[in-house]
Amino acid sequence: MSSAPEIQALAEAPGYHARRTLPLRVEAMRQLRRRRTLLMGGVLAALPFILIIAFAIGGTPGGGDGGGGGGSRIDLMDVATESAANFAATCLFVSAGFLLVVPVALFCGDTVASEASWSSLRYLLAAPVPRSRLLWSKLVVALGFSLAAMVLLPLVALGAGAAAYGWGPLKLPTGGALASSDTVPRLALVVAFVFVSQLVTAGLAFWLSTKTDAPLGAVGGAVGLTIVGNVLDAVTALGDWREFLPAHWQFAWADALQPDLEWGGMAKGAAVSVTYALILFALAFRGFSRKDIVS
């Protein structure tokens, strides 16, 4: 990597502006062309069609015993084929706990670590791209792709559900229905909350990505710690301490699918997730600014 005087000289060169280095559109195109991005998009887009085929083979969902901790899930499955909106909500429910964690961990954990594994990180910094600018560009693009993944699933589900089950009001498992005009805004609110709740996973993956040269280590570490959080939330002996776990609020978006919109759970969940995420992002920026780059 270039010495400090050389970097200073480049920084003072005519026409050089730190903010113009590593533009977001360049980083976005780099990530979009990667095979793992296309593969992840294909998996998410295929899920609604897999569920439609499963319903066609197995018959109309429902008839579960409602026992155990999965009762609310069975209730949602009972109305999955009532309309496109119901089908989209069901797709979000079955994927929010794990499947949507994977793209977030993948896009955010593969940011800096992949450059280090390719031995291209030091050349980017020698361009010179300021460290804060490099992290900022990669983080914004990673979060953008994570949000796109969460939007892609319900959009495909709405289209596939409309073709398979028709368009109509969102029927609630507890009885009643949301008007067709309210379904899309409510589903958009659900997607927004799911994205905010996954910021913790994004923060974990991004922080780990600045600590290791192995992308799989950062991705796997973030997914593993997220799973640990889910396990801890299942330990009822922790009592009220579970409210400090982001996993405790991951399905608070169900309040958005009630006749009277409830904000309490989503507000608490968003506050917990954003707090953890900001701390993890700050640790990533602070640690990377002092890190000796050798790869």
Side-chain angles (χ1 to χ4, degrees):
M1 190 163 54
S2 300
S3 63
E6 291 172 330
I7 294 178
Q8 182 65 24
L10 284 170
E12 294 176 354
Y16 173 82
H17 294 283
R19 294 182 179 179
R20 296 179 182 175
T21 58
L22 197 61
L24 293 178
R25 54 181 168 73
V26 173
E27 178 64 18
M29 290 306 300
R30 290 178 64 205
Q31 299 303 325
L32 182 61
R33 294 191 181 103
R34 295 190 59 186
R35 187 175 302 174
R36 54 95 159 133
T37 303
L38 301 177
L39 178 62
M40 195 71 251
V43 170
L44 292 173
L47 177 63
F49 297 98
I50 294 174
L51 288 179
I52 289 175
I53 294 172
F55 291 155
I57 295 174
T60 302
D65 58 12
S72 60
R73 180 170 183 169
I74 293 172
D75 288 340
L76 277 176
M77 294 297 287
D78 286 343
V79 295
T81 59
E82 295 292 334
S83 69
N86 280 94
F87 182 67
T90 302
C91 287
L92 283 170
F93 189 88
V94 300
S95 59
F98 180 75
L99 182 59
L100 289 179
V101 173
V102 176
V104 176
L106 181 64
F107 293 137
C108 295
D110 195 45
T111 50
V112 181
S114 62
E115 298 287 355
S117 68
W118 298 332
S119 298
S120 59
L121 183 57
R122 56 183 174 179
Y123 297 107
L124 275 174
L125 296 176
V129 179
R131 296 191 182 201
S132 59
R133 174 64 182 180
L134 182 141
L135 287 187
W136 175 252
S137 296
K138 288 188 171 294
L139 177 59
V140 170
V141 171
L143 291 178
F145 275 89
S146 299
L147 178 59
M150 295 181 189
V151 172
L152 175 65
L153 177 62
L155 280 180
V156 174
L158 280 174
Y165 311 119
W167 188 265
L170 194 156
K171 294 187 178 180
L172 306 175
T174 55
L178 293 177
S180 300
S181 59
D182 293 334
T183 56
V184 172
R186 293 293 185 94
L187 288 174
L189 178 59
V190 169
V191 172
F193 178 78
V194 172
F195 173 72
V196 172
S197 68
Q198 293 297 340
L199 286 178
V200 178
T201 301
L204 279 170
F206 190 69
W207 174 61
L208 290 174
S209 186
T210 64
K211 292 294 185 180
T212 179
D213 293 351
L216 286 179
V219 175
V223 173
L225 289 172
T226 301
I227 292 174
V228 169
N230 291 333
V231 172
L232 289 175
D233 183 56
V235 181
T236 54
L238 291 175
D240 293 340
W241 287 102
R242 292 186 300 161
E243 295 186 6
F244 294 96
L245 296 172
H248 186 69
W249 306 100
Q250 63 179 330
F251 292 110
W253 56 263
D255 292 341
L257 302 182
Q258 302 299 324
D260 296 323
L261 184 60
E262 295 287 342
W263 291 97
M266 290 189 289
K268 292 178 181 178
V272 170
S273 297
V274 170
T275 299
Y276 279 111
L278 289 177
I279 292 173
L280 290 166
F281 290 144
L283 288 174
F285 276 83
R286 183 177 184 273
F288 191 71
S289 67
R290 302 179 178 185
K291 184 177 180 180
D292 186 17
I293 306 299
V294 295
S295 56

